Amino acid sequence: MEKNVKIIYPSYLDKFQCIGGKCEDTCCMGWDIDVDKETFKKYHKVTDETMKKIIRKSIHINEYCTNKDLDYGRIKLNKEKKCPLLDDQNFCSIQGRFGEDYLSSVCGQFPRVLNKVDDHYEMCLDASCIEAARIIFGSKEKIEFKQSEKSLGKYTMSGVLDTRSSEFKNTPIKYFKEIRDFSIKIMQNRNLNFSSRLYVLGDFLNKLEDIESNKIKEFISKYDIETKSKSYKRDPMNYALQVSFLKNIVDSLDIVNEMDSDKLRKYTKEVLQGYNIKDNDDVIENKKEYINAFEKYTDEYIESNSHIFENYMVNFIYNNLFPFSESDFMFDGYILLLFRYSLIRFYLVGKYIYNGKDSVEDIIEFVKVFVKAVEHDRNYRSKILEYIKENSFDNMEFAKMLL
């Protein structure tokens, strides 16, 4: 009998149910599908001749394996970039023939993400699933968390953190829960516009880097979110600077040619046509147009639908053990989170210029595509963080430009 464990999770998790073949997307397409070692061995022992042929052709040992319980094997996608084990109705033929026990831990768990912090488990949903994205971003309510005891079943751990470990005794990681909770509190402060919340989050974590670990709790208790927000004032010229900077990033990543996601490539082509930048002179010449587009989009879509972006941030923070999501330096986690948001907004505004309109449904669809294509790219984060550090952009002045 499986043992129940303590799980803390966002209340939206209770609403999620996979819609299977009815889904207009599939989680079995467009990215690597990992197979744990136990399941890999099961697959190569099946006696069904039809399935045996597909398995031997498509499922191989992963030469880049990092954890045998996670990615010992890998499923090679077919020409349509789909899992070869899907049937004509987009259902998993492995599950259909042999039952749920034959799903790898990744396939059985997705889009649920599981971490362990100290003695309890934390679970939330990955927004790269469109049904999960609709639930997370579609609700205008703040994300709240609850606790219960549940059986985990077959699972893969995304992250494990024991804040009580002696190695963290004199580090901010010891106070991870307090720091993360306060970060969520900042992002859910609806008295502030969204850019102000992001600014305050950066200021909070930037200052926290210099605080002695034994004074972190005191610093948090005295930090005044709304007073600090008054020191931030948006500079419209930063929008034009963002267009130039982020356009160069999109070009350097060669998303149009290198990204596996057909949808993101399509969006990228539309966005680049919308901005219509051939060289840096175009940014200077068209800066008023870009600034007006950003300001109009921010007022009409971002602020009026700030719950979408708030819930994106809160879900990311909880999902990725933020602010230690990139390294032991909290500001690294912040600057990459801010970069993600700025890149999302760059795309949304570019699409808006191209199409002349937008909608809540289209925003949610795009964010889901972005999460699936960009955030799950294993090289993406390291390349961007390396670029930011090489150019000394890991500071609040650069953060203000991205806001």
Side-chain angles (χ1 to χ4, degrees):
M1 185 175 179
E2 293 180 347
K3 182 181 178 182
N4 285 351
V5 296
K6 291 180 182 178
I7 300 182
I8 299 175
Y9 58 96
S11 55
Y12 70 64
L13 194 66
D14 293 331
K15 301 176 183 178
F16 176 76
Q17 185 172 5
C18 177
I19 58 176
K22 296 178 182 179
C23 185
E24 66 268 37
D25 193 10
T26 173
C27 52
C28 310
M29 178 179 179
W31 52 12
D32 296 331
I33 302 174
D34 296 325
V35 181
D36 58 277
K37 188 173 183 178
E38 179 184 344
T39 307
F40 183 89
K41 288 182 175 179
K42 270 187 177 181
Y43 286 169
H44 285 272
K45 288 180 180 177
V46 300
T47 56
D48 181 289
E49 289 300 324
T50 302
M51 295 305 301
K52 184 190 292 187
K53 185 177 180 181
I54 297 173
I55 287 169
R56 287 183 176 175
K57 181 180 178 181
S58 307
I59 305 178
H60 309 283
I61 292 176
N62 177 16
E63 60 179 309
Y64 303 107
C65 173
T66 58
N67 184 332
K68 66 180 183 180
D69 295 323
L70 176 63
D71 59 354
Y72 177 83
R74 181 160 290 173
I75 299 177
K76 182 181 178 182
L77 302 185
N78 61 23
K79 292 179 180 179
E80 288 75 39
K81 296 179 182 176
K82 285 187 177 183
C83 175
L85 298 171
L86 290 177
D87 64 20
D88 294 339
Q89 281 74 47
N90 275 340
F91 284 107
C92 176
S93 57
I94 283 280
Q95 183 174 357
R97 299 230 184 166
F98 306 116
E100 192 173 340
D101 287 343
Y102 269 73
L103 291 177
S104 69
S105 55
V106 169
C107 293
Q109 185 175 311
F110 185 83
R112 299 165 189 85
V113 178
L114 186 69
N115 295 311
K116 186 178 183 184
V117 178
D118 297 341
D119 290 328
H120 61 265
Y121 293 86
E122 299 181 347
M123 183 179 285
C124 62
L125 294 179
D126 188 321
S128 58
C129 162
I130 187 59
E131 188 66 14
R134 290 190 186 110
I135 292 170
I136 298 167
F137 306 142
S139 173
K140 293 184 178 181
E141 301 300 317
K142 293 181 180 180
I143 291 178
E144 295 182 347
F145 298 88
K146 58 195 291 188
Q147 178 174 313
S148 68
E149 290 197 359
K150 293 185 178 183
S151 171
L152 292 179
K154 194 175 184 180
Y155 65 90
T156 296
M157 203 76 69
S158 294
V160 178
L161 180 62
D162 188 345
T163 64
R164 304 158 300 181
S165 172
S166 58
E167 67 178 306
F168 302 137
K169 184 177 180 181
N170 297 310
T171 74
I173 296 177
K174 179 180 179 181
Y175 302 99
F176 161 74
K177 287 177 281 189
E178 291 86 351
I179 294 169
R180 184 179 63 175
D181 287 349
F182 198 77
S183 297
I184 290 175
K185 182 179 179 180
I186 292 171
M187 292 314 304
Q188 291 185 324
N189 187 325
R190 296 186 176 181
N191 294 326
L192 309 180
N193 65 44
F194 198 70
S195 290
S196 293
R197 295 185 231 176
L198 284 170
Y199 169 79
V200 173
L201 179 63
D203 178 81
F204 167 67
L205 295 173
N206 190 42
K207 285 187 169 64
L208 204 56
E209 295 278 19
D210 297 324
I211 301 296
E212 294 179 21
S213 61
N214 61 347
K215 296 181 180 178
I216 284 178
K217 282 189 174 183
E218 180 185 359
F219 173 78
I220 293 174
S221 68
K222 292 182 178 180
Y223 191 91
D224 190 320
I225 296 172
E226 298 205 18
T227 298
K228 180 52 64 178
S229 71
K230 294 175 183 177
S231 62
Y232 169 69
K233 186 176 181 180
R234 178 186 287 134
D235 181 355
M237 187 59 195
N238 283 338
Y239 289 140
L241 296 175
Q242 285 177 44
V243 171
S244 177
F245 173 75
L246 294 171
K247 196 267 183 183
N248 288 336
I249 290 291
V250 170
D251 287 344
S252 66
L253 293 175
D254 198 12
I255 291 176
V256 172
N257 297 309
E258 294 296 326
M259 188 63 66
D260 286 336
S261 169
D262 292 335
K263 288 185 177 179
L264 190 65
R265 289 203 305 271
K266 174 180 174 291
Y267 283 136
T268 304
K269 290 174 184 177
E270 292 178 358
V271 166
L272 295 179
Q273 286 183 50
Y275 286 117
N276 191 26
I277 303 171
K278 297 180 180 64
D279 53 47
N280 289 332
D281 288 340
D282 288 331
V283 177
I284 298 170
E285 185 179 334
N286 299 324
K287 65 181 180 181
K288 286 186 179 180
E289 179 186 339
Y290 299 145
I291 290 170
N292 288 338
F294 268 79
E295 289 188 328
K296 188 175 182 181
Y297 191 88
T298 297
D299 290 340
E300 292 187 7
Y301 293 100
I302 292 181
E303 291 303 336
S304 61
N305 298 291
S306 61
H307 63 279
I308 296 175
F309 306 97
E310 173 190 311
N311 289 350
Y312 166 78
M313 291 288 176
V314 172
N315 199 65
F316 181 93
I317 287 170
Y318 194 71
N319 182 339
N320 292 278
L321 301 180
F322 182 89
F324 304 102
S325 43
E326 310 302 332
S327 71
D328 290 349
F329 294 100
M330 294 175 281
F331 202 76
D332 285 354
Y334 167 73
I335 206 70
L336 269 191
L337 179 59
L338 176 58
F339 177 84
R340 289 179 179 94
Y341 166 73
S342 297
L343 189 56
I344 288 172
R345 183 175 58 185
F346 169 81
Y347 267 88
L348 290 174
V349 174
K351 280 167 65 292
Y352 173 68
I353 296 172
Y354 178 81
N355 294 310
K357 60 180 181 178
D358 207 349
S359 68
V360 170
E361 293 74 22
D362 287 343
I363 293 171
I364 292 174
E365 164 68 15
F366 172 75
V367 176
K368 172 259 170 190
V369 170
F370 177 89
V371 172
K372 183 173 181 179
V374 179
E375 290 190 2
H376 283 272
D377 188 314
R378 299 183 179 189
N379 297 316
Y380 158 73
R381 289 188 301 183
S382 59
K383 283 182 180 179
I384 296 300
L385 187 58
E386 182 181 349
Y387 177 81
I388 287 172
K389 286 183 169 293
E390 282 180 353
N391 290 277
S392 301
F393 289 152
D394 49 341
N395 54 67
M396 280 304 294
E397 288 307 308
F398 177 70
K400 288 178 185 176
M401 188 276 285
L402 288 179
L403 288 170

